[in-house]
Amino acid sequence: KSIFKDAADLLSRKILFLPKDIQFKLKKMACIGSQCDITILHLICGDDSASKEPPDELCNINIAIAVDEGLIQKNGPNYDFAHDQIESAAYSLIPEKHQGPWHLSIGKKLLSSCNSEEEIEKIIFLITDQLNRGKLSMKEEAEHISLIELNYRAAKKAISSSMFSNASHYLKEGISLLDETHRETHHRLWISLYVSYAETEYCNGNFKNVRDTVGSIIAHAKSLDDKVPAYKTLCLCVGSGRKNYRRSAQIGLDVLGQLGEHFSINQSQVTAMAEFLKTKFLLLGKDVDIIMSKVMEDKQMLVIMDLLETTSIYCPPYFGFILVFRIVQLSISHGVSVNTAFGFACFSALLNNADDLHNAYKYGNFALDIMRRMHAREKYCRIYPILFSSVFLRSNRMHSCLDTVLEAHREGLKAGDVTCAIICATIYCNIAFRCKKKLALVKKDLTDLGREAKVYRQESTWNLVYPLEQAILNLMGHAEWPNLLDGDAIPDGSLERC
């Protein structure tokens, strides 16, 4: 600590020997971070001649001394601090009481420099970060509301790039600016922040935060419509622990009941068979073009379809199919949605299990066609593993299924559907083993994908591949008792959790 402090003091003194305008620019640059675009630096330093001369020439003239001194480096359109200690030293020269106002001033300048929503979107992270660091210097209520909205916009942009940790940060910042009065005066903004925060924390594997946030939404939301997205996220969160599948399914069924779709998890297999035959009858004479001729538009029906799909994942197999049949039936009567493809994929898998390969292949292709026509890449992780571990695994060569299932895994992570993404990973490893991929390569895939599962707190789902991993170790001669499916790859009690 003493060495670092001495180094920081030396660097601070070195900066203080520079001309005042260079010190000013370095301090402003330190407010931005380790790297700063030349145009941005020129703007935040307040030079009114910005529109008269190229900013890079002006900045080069004024800051060339700092470059010569080795404090910063020119890197394309940016200036970079040569070392993080230099950045810290420059920032330390701003009195602590002035740091917040400086950040606030920078954020406001950046925001006011944007002439359109598109320009704001390009630098939304930078603007929001600066205003967040200067929020304690804000005095007007309107400024706080504007910053809350900016944090929400920044979070949505981060989500679109699958940066769920960053998104949670912005949502948490926005929530920290809310008080009880905002729950009434800006209820829609309040709901949007809390629902999005629950969703991103599920993606990050922070399940306690999900439960706490959903609890707040359920307690304070004014309508069932506001609560449904939270219930769906809770359903996914609870279902991440395999012992909680039944409880997760019950959450979904309770909400479906409130929406007018009544089911009992104790319904018999006779009911499932009756719904299967009903669905088969409704599909007679219908090709994919007839089914796609009507698109579902009713908002409540779209919510029901989404909940039917999510809930079916966590139901006992025969009962899950009852919900799947309902998805197909509603698609025929009310039009297709992105959930229709999932319904047909599951219907195809059921027919495959019944050895009706012709219709299994037909409806499997229905699912793919509907998904592609609706550009539903976020559904890859739910549809591809169903089809490419059942009917298409029988009709295609195993090797041809590998890349498709791995793509589904990656798309699932991008979409934040982490449980289904990890299920894709388990299926990928099983297919890789069955199609005689080299054992060492399958073992490496298991290690890499298992590490990913741990990051997303999906260990209970990843338990499914422990027997496979142990079998590979046995075959590679890395087990003490190769004739027993027991060893280092199977943690104590993990098979019970499967």
Side-chain angles (χ1 to χ4, degrees):
K1 287 182 179 179
S2 177
I3 293 171
F4 285 128
K5 187 176 184 305
D6 291 343
D9 289 342
L10 285 170
L11 289 168
S12 297
R13 284 198 291 271
K14 184 174 183 178
I15 293 170
L16 287 171
F17 277 112
L18 296 172
K20 293 286 186 184
D21 62 328
I22 306 302
Q23 291 181 41
F24 180 72
K25 282 184 168 63
L26 289 175
K27 288 188 283 186
K28 286 280 188 176
M29 188 174 157
C31 288
I32 298 295
S34 61
Q35 183 182 82
C36 185
D37 180 272
I38 293 169
T39 306
I40 296 291
L41 180 61
H42 190 55
L43 171 69
I44 64 177
C45 288
D47 195 329
D48 293 330
S49 61
S51 61
K52 300 174 186 176
E53 295 184 59
D56 57 334
E57 289 181 19
L58 287 164
C59 285
N60 276 333
I61 293 167
N62 291 330
I63 210 165
I65 297 171
V67 176
D68 293 339
E69 290 291 326
L71 296 171
I72 60 173
Q73 300 167 341
K74 181 79 161 54
N75 183 14
N78 301 315
Y79 279 117
D80 300 350
F81 279 107
H83 194 278
D84 56 3
Q85 287 287 339
I86 300 172
E87 177 193 343
S88 298
Y91 191 73
S92 71
L93 294 175
I94 307 170
E96 193 171 336
K97 66 180 181 179
H98 293 153
Q99 289 172 1
W102 273 45
H103 286 295
L104 181 60
S105 172
I106 290 170
K108 286 182 174 180
K109 276 191 175 182
L110 292 171
L111 187 57
S112 63
S113 73
C114 297
N115 296 317
S116 66
E117 293 299 312
E118 289 73 19
E119 288 185 14
I120 293 174
E121 200 66 17
K122 285 179 182 177
I123 57 171
I124 186 72
F125 296 142
L126 181 56
I127 293 171
T128 308
D129 287 339
Q130 291 300 310
L131 293 175
N132 281 338
R133 295 177 74 178
K135 64 186 177 182
L136 295 179
S137 300
M138 290 180 174
K139 296 176 182 176
E140 301 295 328
E141 170 72 0
E143 288 182 306
H144 284 96
I145 297 300
S146 176
L147 180 53
I148 294 169
E149 291 171 342
L150 282 170
N151 272 292
Y152 182 64
R153 285 181 63 176
K156 298 307 281 186
K157 184 175 181 179
I159 290 168
S160 70
S161 300
S162 305
M163 299 188 298
F164 300 112
S165 180
N166 291 30
S168 283
H169 164 74
Y170 287 118
L171 292 164
K172 195 172 182 179
E173 284 283 347
I175 288 170
S176 73
L177 292 164
L178 293 168
D179 58 35
E180 289 188 11
T181 60
H182 293 137
R183 200 162 59 221
E184 297 298 326
T185 60
H186 295 81
H187 187 70
R188 179 51 45 203
L189 181 59
W190 187 94
I191 285 289
S192 298
L193 282 163
Y194 271 80
V195 167
S196 295
Y197 184 62
E199 292 170 350
T200 55
E201 285 296 85
Y202 163 71
C203 297
N204 294 326
N206 297 325
F207 299 141
K208 184 182 183 303
N209 287 350
V210 174
R211 293 186 181 93
D212 292 344
T213 307
V214 169
S216 296
I217 295 167
I218 293 169
H220 301 293
K222 295 180 178 180
S223 68
L224 180 59
D225 287 346
D226 288 342
K227 295 177 184 180
V228 167
Y231 277 123
K232 179 189 169 185
T233 303
L234 182 63
C235 185
L236 292 167
C237 175
V238 173
S240 294
R242 294 186 64 81
K243 282 189 173 181
N244 297 325
Y245 269 22
R246 192 178 182 90
R247 183 174 157 231
S248 177
Q250 194 59 58
I251 291 169
L253 293 175
D254 288 345
V255 181
L256 283 166
Q258 293 180 64
L259 293 167
E261 292 286 326
H262 300 283
F263 301 92
S264 168
I265 204 166
N266 297 316
Q267 283 177 294
S268 68
Q269 295 187 38
V270 174
T271 304
M273 179 56 70
E275 291 300 319
F276 169 67
L277 294 173
K278 176 183 175 182
T279 305
K280 231 181 159 184
F281 176 77
L282 290 171
L283 285 169
L284 286 175
K286 293 181 174 65
D287 61 21
V288 71
D289 290 323
I290 293 173
I291 292 167
M292 285 290 295
S293 63
K294 184 179 179 183
V295 177
M296 188 177 289
E297 295 179 351
D298 185 284
K299 289 184 179 179
Q300 179 163 316
M301 199 57 64
L302 288 167
V303 169
I304 289 170
M305 292 282 279
D306 200 33
L307 270 173
L308 284 168
E309 178 183 324
T310 299
T311 307
S312 70
I313 296 170
Y314 302 109
C315 290
Y318 74 88
F319 182 73
F321 279 115
I322 292 176
L323 302 188
V324 166
F325 300 146
R326 186 61 177 153
I327 290 173
V328 176
Q329 292 164 12
L330 290 174
S331 298
I332 295 169
S333 60
H334 289 75
V336 298
S337 73
V338 291
N339 311 100
T340 302
F342 175 82
F344 276 109
C346 293
F347 192 63
S348 168
L350 180 63
L351 293 169
N352 175 71
N353 291 341
D355 284 328
D356 184 356
L357 297 185
H358 172 75
N359 282 316
Y361 192 72
K362 172 185 172 181
Y363 292 119
N365 280 309
F366 270 32
L368 294 182
D369 203 0
I370 292 167
M371 181 178 66
R372 287 165 184 161
R373 291 195 200 188
M374 303 199 79
H375 308 290
R377 293 185 69 88
E378 74 278 6
K379 294 297 178 183
Y380 282 15
C381 65
R382 295 193 176 187
I383 293 165
Y384 279 168
I386 295 169
L387 297 175
F388 286 89
S389 65
S390 58
V391 60
F392 291 156
L393 196 61
R394 295 174 72 170
S395 59
N396 299 351
R397 303 179 83 178
M398 279 193 185
H399 279 282
S400 68
C401 298
L402 280 173
D403 289 343
T404 306
V405 176
L406 191 59
E407 181 188 11
H409 164 72
R410 290 170 181 151
E411 289 296 329
L413 291 180
K414 285 182 186 177
D417 198 349
V418 290
T419 299
C420 289
I422 299 304
I423 289 172
C424 288
T426 67
I427 292 170
Y428 170 82
C429 292
N430 274 282
I431 296 174
F433 176 72
R434 290 171 64 188
C435 70
K436 299 181 181 179
K437 189 175 178 180
K438 287 185 178 180
L439 292 178
L441 294 178
V442 181
K443 179 66 177 72
K444 184 180 183 303
D445 288 337
L446 282 163
T447 301
D448 294 342
L449 293 169
R451 194 178 296 120
E452 213 169 54
K454 193 171 183 180
V455 168
Y456 289 100
R457 310 272 179 89
Q458 294 292 323
E459 294 95 331
S460 60
T461 302
W462 192 248
N463 285 351
L464 293 167
V465 297
Y466 285 156
L468 172 64
E469 188 169 5
Q470 186 60 53
I472 290 172
L473 290 177
N474 289 5
L475 291 169
M476 293 174 71
H478 296 164
E480 186 177 355
W481 303 99
N483 59 328
L484 296 178
L485 201 60
D486 189 21
D488 296 338
I490 302 179
D492 292 341
S494 64
L495 290 183
E496 291 179 16
R497 292 194 296 275
C498 290

